[in-house]
Amino acid sequence: DLVERLDVAISRATDDGVAVVVVASAVPAFFAAGADIKLMQSGNVKRFAGYLTRLRGVIERLHDAPFLSIAACDGHTLGGGLELAMACTLRVAGVRARLGLPEARLGLLPGAGGTQRLPKLVGRTSALELIMSGRSVTAEVALEIGLVDRAVEDALGDAEEWAHELAQGPAEAYKAIVRCIEASEAGGDGMAVEFDEVT
């Protein structure tokens, strides 16, 4: 249900030409605690593969959306929840935030982009340590290692202020900047992308 609702929200924001979206939770102390562990351990491989394919598709839609996105990580941001947050353009963590990919503790591994996005944000060494240990980190540690862009008292309030500020600016330029940086991170010719965007 969450995946379907997120998909609808992405479509609505795209259709409405929204410049910036804040991704937040209405559940106190949780951004998103991750996937349904019972489904992951059910042994129903076909059902789980279908779920994972759908989840990955929606997370990629958010990453590739024509708007900027800010994850307001105000509480537990774990597993698929962290993978969702990492797909956003920016991340803000509140004082209650705990961020991590605990799948390895269950003999599993992140399946919705965690092994790909985390190293780009924090580097190979920190990514391996976090994924293999399954431990979660505080907002302050997440900021230190580059997992989040801000560590604040109130993640949602800060994210909304930041979104308002960005929405008043040159949205097309901001999106072009993100495309240039991501082209370089992906190992492509970032200089060529930058030239194309400028001209």
Side-chain angles (χ1 to χ4, degrees):
D1 187 52
L2 177 82
V3 175
E4 295 304 321
R5 287 171 183 249
L6 181 59
D7 197 31
V8 169
I10 293 168
S11 294
R12 184 179 303 162
T14 300
D15 293 344
D16 291 348
V18 172
V20 187
V21 165
V22 172
V23 180
S25 170
V27 181
F30 286 89
F31 173 76
D36 183 341
I37 300 302
K38 290 179 183 176
L39 176 59
M40 294 172 77
Q41 295 179 323
S42 68
N44 189 330
V45 177
K46 185 175 180 180
R47 184 171 172 226
F48 177 68
Y51 162 75
L52 187 60
T53 299
R54 182 75 177 124
L55 174 63
R56 288 171 63 113
V58 172
I59 288 176
E60 287 305 311
R61 270 199 78 202
L62 176 63
H63 177 266
D64 297 336
F67 48 76
L68 301 178
S69 54
I70 304 174
C73 305
D74 211 354
H76 293 286
T77 307
L78 304 170
L82 181 56
E83 290 171 313
L84 173 63
M86 288 191 294
C88 291
T89 314
L90 303 162
R91 284 155 300 286
V92 178
V95 290
R96 299 182 300 179
R98 299 290 298 185
L99 302 96
L101 296 169
E103 289 88 347
R105 290 183 176 182
L106 302 171
L108 305 166
L109 67 149
T115 63
Q116 303 306 300
R117 288 197 170 95
L118 189 62
K120 291 176 184 173
L121 292 170
V122 306
R124 181 181 187 273
T125 302
S126 292
L128 279 172
E129 194 279 326
L130 281 173
I131 295 172
M132 290 182 171
S133 71
R135 74 181 179 96
S136 59
V137 297
T138 63
E140 291 75 18
V141 172
L143 180 63
E144 287 174 14
I145 64 176
L147 180 53
V148 299
D149 303 287
R150 294 182 179 178
V152 298
E153 184 75 23
D154 174 16
L156 179 56
D158 187 84
E160 288 177 339
E161 281 184 28
W162 201 1
H164 181 73
E165 177 186 325
L166 290 170
Q168 305 308 309
E172 291 305 318
Y174 292 155
K175 288 184 276 190
I177 289 165
V178 172
R179 286 192 294 270
C180 291
I181 291 172
E182 290 188 344
S184 177
E185 289 175 341
D189 189 346
M191 293 295 283
V193 173
E194 180 186 82
F195 182 79
D196 289 343
E197 293 289 353
V198 171
T199 57

